[in-house]
Amino acid sequence: MASRQTTSLACESETSFLGKETTAALRASFALKAHKGAQVVQTPFQPQASYKVAVLGAAGGIGQPLALLIKMSPLVSDLHLYDIANVKGVAADLSHCNTPSQVLDFTGASELANSLKGVDVVVIPAGVPRKPGMTRDDLFNINAGIVKNLVEAVADNCPEAFIHIISNPVNSTVPIAAEVLKKKGVYNPKKLFGVTTLDVVRANTFVAQKKNLKLIDVDVPVVGGHAGITILPLLSKTKPSVSLTDEEVEKLTVRIQNGGTEVVEAKAGAGSATLSMAYAAARFVESSLRALDGDGDVYECSYVESDLTELPFFASRVKLGRKGVEALIPSDLQGLTEYELKALEALKPELKASIEKGIAFANKQAVTA
Ligand SMILES: NC(=O)c1ccc[n+]([C@@H]2O[C@H](COP(=O)([O-])OP(=O)(O)OC[C@H]3O[C@@H](n4cnc5c(N)ncnc54)[C@H](O)[C@@H]3O)[C@@H](O)[C@H]2O)c1
Ligand SMILES: O=C(O)C[C@H](O)C(=O)O
């Protein structure tokens, strides 16, 4: 939950997930030429700063709409799109949007290193999605190796970058990435993030619908991890504070935990959440860029190395700054309801096992030089 309101696109108010100033700048960039009578007036547009963002898995269901949303950010000067196939057309298409960033395409392992040179933020949605009946952990066998290889390349080519891991199972792929970075001697826990923003986006949407609140106002912290019961929305910490019956809490919690499965089932074999995920990931990218740009008031939930519980990785609200995670926010975990405390204890064994599975996988693999 970014401290600036981030829950709705610009249509509802001046403020969008891109932030008020950014939204205004974006509008300006969409209207570079304003017609004033017969005269064409150029509206100058200056990005506030210029950051390079790489998307690995950019031709996929998440990658394409995510690339579009990142292309709309005035904070981005260069957008690098990498995939093992089909990325040339995506980049050609996107490059025709008259927003400031230049788009470059990179196809296949031989172009991976170049896609990462000088990059400030790397977003990784590469990998296979779920089909009905599968758990996120069922993706481990394929996606663990993909994430390992990509993070090795990140370590070699842009070790200072913020790394956003989207590929599932996030509960395990983030610990895998950490181990890979450690083996390469470049691990900075402040810059490695599991993207759990979609859980917050869902929680905000479902609570606002249930309580008939303006979406833009609702902010629910979601902690734990990103799979089933490890997703723990702290409804008692909702802002503005809402009054919910025990039955409402139970129903909302289960719906938020099953949000991904809801989409997987509706798509009936054609993949998992892509559009809402792209929206959520773009919000997290924008928050990271604002933090890099010196905004001192950026907060998001993310799955990071943590000492808030006995688990080495845990999703919580974090303060983002130029150097990555500036602080974990412990206050959300204080004064929990009995329901939340029980759910927090219940999620720990599953999350612990997923973390250990990721670490064990990474440690039995050879590091690619
Ligand atoms: N963190 C979350 O909240 C969240 C939400 C939705 C989906 N996901 C996960 O994101 C991942 C991607 O989902 P999707 O719907 O975009 O899948 P998709 O199959 O549509 O796209 C995946 C893309 O990754 C590419 N790819 C595969 N191997 C690669 C490699 N080695 N290097 C680079 N690119 C590679 C594919 O070519 C494809 O273009 C899945 O693992 C899914 O479970 C996570
Ligand atoms: O549910 C999935 O498999 C994709 C993603 O993790 C989601 O929460 O939508």
Side-chain angles (χ1 to χ4, degrees):
M1 76 233 57
S3 61
R4 289 182 191 176
Q5 292 299 341
T6 55
T7 47
S8 162
L9 276 168
C11 50
E12 188 170 349
S13 82
E14 271 282 283
T15 314
S16 74
F17 78 96
L18 296 166
K20 197 168 183 174
E21 299 83 355
T22 312
T23 305
L26 192 57
R27 282 191 190 137
S29 80
F30 280 148
L32 285 175
K33 284 180 186 166
H35 288 266
K36 202 177 174 192
Q39 207 189 351
V40 175
V41 181
Q42 293 282 346
T43 311
F45 173 71
Q46 295 294 329
Q48 297 155 56
S50 45
Y51 296 99
K52 292 190 181 185
V53 178
V55 179
L56 312 184
I62 296 167
Q64 291 198 38
L66 173 58
L68 173 62
L69 292 170
I70 296 172
K71 177 78 174 92
M72 290 164 70
S73 171
L75 286 166
V76 178
S77 61
D78 297 80
L79 178 53
H80 291 186
L81 304 184
Y82 172 79
D83 207 303
I84 47 174
N86 304 326
V87 79
K88 243 184 180 19
V90 175
D93 188 357
L94 213 49
S95 70
H96 292 186
C97 300
N98 64 330
T99 60
S101 48
Q102 66 158 338
V103 183
L104 297 176
D105 62 278
F106 302 85
T107 305
S110 64
E111 297 187 5
L112 177 57
N114 278 342
S115 79
L116 294 167
K117 296 253 156 58
V119 160
D120 301 292
V121 177
V122 183
V123 192
I124 308 185
V128 291
R130 281 199 286 163
K131 289 189 187 315
M134 292 171 80
T135 65
R136 291 176 183 80
D137 187 59
D138 291 335
L139 305 172
F140 187 99
N141 288 345
I142 299 178
N143 290 352
I146 292 175
V147 170
K148 173 188 169 275
N149 290 339
L150 294 175
V151 174
E152 281 175 348
V154 172
D156 292 340
N157 295 287
C158 54
E160 297 291 316
F162 284 24
I163 307 170
H164 295 184
I165 307 275
I166 295 173
S167 316
N168 271 316
V170 167
N171 289 356
S172 302
T173 51
V174 172
I176 290 172
E179 292 305 303
V180 168
L181 293 162
K182 279 181 205 167
K183 285 188 184 188
K184 290 274 189 181
V186 294
Y187 179 46
N188 181 348
K190 296 184 184 331
K191 293 190 172 178
L192 175 64
F193 303 91
V195 182
T196 57
T197 324
L198 182 53
D199 300 316
V200 174
V201 164
R202 285 177 176 141
N204 293 351
T205 304
F206 301 160
V207 169
Q209 283 168 351
K210 182 90 207 153
K211 295 314 247 181
N212 219 6
L213 296 168
K214 260 180 92 178
L215 258 174
I216 197 97
D217 292 334
V218 179
D219 193 8
V220 183
V222 182
V223 301
H226 178 70
I229 62 159
T230 72
I231 300 168
L232 177 55
L234 299 178
L235 294 165
S236 70
K237 306 283 176 174
T238 300
K239 288 197 178 105
S241 91
V242 288
S243 143
L244 297 163
T245 65
D246 290 353
E247 196 191 343
E248 283 175 329
V249 168
E250 171 71 18
K251 279 199 171 140
L252 277 167
T253 302
V254 169
R255 178 149 189 233
I256 294 159
Q257 289 173 335
N258 287 337
T261 306
E262 198 178 295
V263 178
V264 168
E265 282 168 2
K267 290 197 174 181
S272 56
T274 53
L275 303 175
S276 51
M277 183 59 229
Y279 169 81
R283 163 178 158 170
F284 196 65
V285 168
E286 194 66 15
S287 290
S288 297
L289 295 178
R290 285 208 327 264
L292 280 169
D293 208 36
D295 187 334
D297 194 24
V298 184
Y299 295 84
E300 289 282 357
C301 284
S302 182
Y303 180 64
V304 294
E305 186 176 304
S306 175
D307 59 6
L308 291 185
T309 70
E310 61 272 35
L311 300 170
F313 292 89
F314 191 80
S316 71
R317 206 151 54 100
V318 303
K319 183 177 197 299
L320 296 175
R322 281 207 163 100
K323 294 182 174 163
V325 176
E326 249 175 30
L328 304 170
I329 309 298
S331 54
D332 289 329
L333 292 176
Q334 287 152 12
L336 297 183
T337 64
E338 212 174 299
Y339 179 88
E340 289 164 346
L341 279 173
K342 226 169 130 190
L344 178 59
E345 289 314 305
L347 72 80
K348 286 179 181 173
E350 180 179 329
L351 189 49
K352 183 169 183 280
S354 301
I355 293 167
E356 285 169 356
K357 185 172 176 178
I359 292 173
F361 170 85
N363 286 329
K364 61 173 198 273
Q365 305 287 314
V367 179
T368 313

